[in-house]
Amino acid sequence: MQHLPVPSTATAPAPAAAFASGGFQVRADLGQHFLRSPESARRLLERANIPVGAQVLEVGAGLGTLSATIAASGYRIWAVEKDKRLRDQLCRQLGAFGDRARVTIDDVRRVDLDGHLDARSTLVSIMPFDADLSTALIAHVFASSRLARGLVVLPSRSADLLAADASHGLRIEEVDGIARADFWPPAPAALRVVAIERRQPCRS
């Protein structure tokens, strides 16, 4: 399985700092906490092991820091974000990548994933830092047979809930940690970076 190299992002801008200094009000109901640096996004992408040519779905694209890192690495990114206030920011971040990047401003639960995702797509997302919401969103998107696997940042409680529920047919494996301070505002609880894959059906 081939993977594209992840380019250095050391000189890329950090949108979270500008939004923080500008007094942007995060929405607690969306579990909003934004990645502070492109270097953090680079580390996450290195852990995702996305196959060459795979389409990437990002749920809760936020300020586009992770989205831009994915697109700059040569992958096709579909960034879905519910907060309409972030439309212009996402378009600025991703506009230079042309057809390789797509932005949808909507609740992912109202989006036709089966109709617009390629087969064997990959989810790479920083999920909302609300444990129940992130758990529900992961279960929803993986109801689409188009998603094969994923790498997500989510609250520890979400990882525990997903791992304890076999009904969704997913295998959850913690692959890394990430600091609360890597986000603005800082995450209120411990986080995990987990890989998600579909369980293989048993054969008789």
Side-chain angles (χ1 to χ4, degrees), residues 10 57 124 194:
L57 172 68
V124 180
V194 302

Side-chain angles (χ1 to χ4, degrees), residues 40-54:
S40 297
R42 172 185 163 87
R43 291 198 304 269
L44 289 174
L45 187 54
E46 287 174 340
R47 299 293 291 174
N49 293 320
I50 307 166
V52 171

Side-chain angles (χ1 to χ4, degrees), residues 19 24-32 34 60-63 80-90 103-108 110:
F19 272 68
F24 183 84
Q25 297 297 307
V26 298
R27 288 182 54 179
D29 62 310
L30 297 181
Q32 282 182 335
F34 301 119
L63 302 179
V80 180
E81 169 56 50
K82 185 175 182 179
D83 191 345
K84 296 178 180 178
R85 299 175 299 167
L86 301 178
R87 180 194 303 272
D88 290 348
Q89 168 63 21
L90 278 171
V103 174
T104 296
I105 305 298
D106 205 345
D107 187 325
V108 71
R110 293 199 297 259

Side-chain angles (χ1 to χ4, degrees), residues 5-181:
V6 181
S8 174
T9 54
T11 59
F19 272 68
S21 64
F24 183 84
Q25 297 297 307
V26 298
R27 288 182 54 179
D29 62 310
L30 297 181
Q32 282 182 335
H33 294 265
F34 301 119
L35 200 61
R36 294 175 61 89
S37 76
E39 185 56 36
S40 297
R42 172 185 163 87
R43 291 198 304 269
L44 289 174
L45 187 54
E46 287 174 340
R47 299 293 291 174
N49 293 320
I50 307 166
V52 171
Q55 183 181 20
V56 178
L57 172 68
E58 183 185 11
V59 175
L63 302 179
T65 302
L66 181 56
S67 316
T69 301
I70 292 168
S73 297
Y75 297 104
R76 291 174 297 120
I77 173 75
W78 184 10
V80 180
E81 169 56 50
K82 185 175 182 179
D83 191 345
K84 296 178 180 178
R85 299 175 299 167
L86 301 178
R87 180 194 303 272
D88 290 348
Q89 168 63 21
L90 278 171
C91 288
R92 282 194 297 271
Q93 284 282 77
L94 296 176
F97 300 107
D99 292 341
R100 202 156 70 240
R102 175 182 180 183
V103 174
T104 296
I105 305 298
D106 205 345
D107 187 325
V108 71
R109 290 168 290 193
R110 293 199 297 259
V111 173
D112 180 11
L113 297 178
D114 286 339
H116 296 286
L117 278 177
D118 293 348
R120 302 197 61 76
S121 292
T122 299
L123 173 71
V124 180
S125 291
I126 297 164
M127 303 305 297
F129 289 175
D130 175 288
D132 294 327
L133 178 57
S134 61
T135 303
L137 291 177
I138 289 171
H140 174 81
V141 297
F142 273 96
S144 170
S145 62
R146 298 287 184 168
L147 274 178
R149 63 187 308 275
L151 182 98
V152 298
V153 177
L154 75 176
S156 288
R157 181 169 173 267
S158 292
D160 291 340
L161 290 171
L162 287 166
D165 182 2
S167 66
H168 47 55
L170 302 176
R171 183 169 65 85
I172 310 298
E173 179 185 5
E174 184 172 1
V175 296
D176 206 350
I178 191 166
R180 300 181 193 183

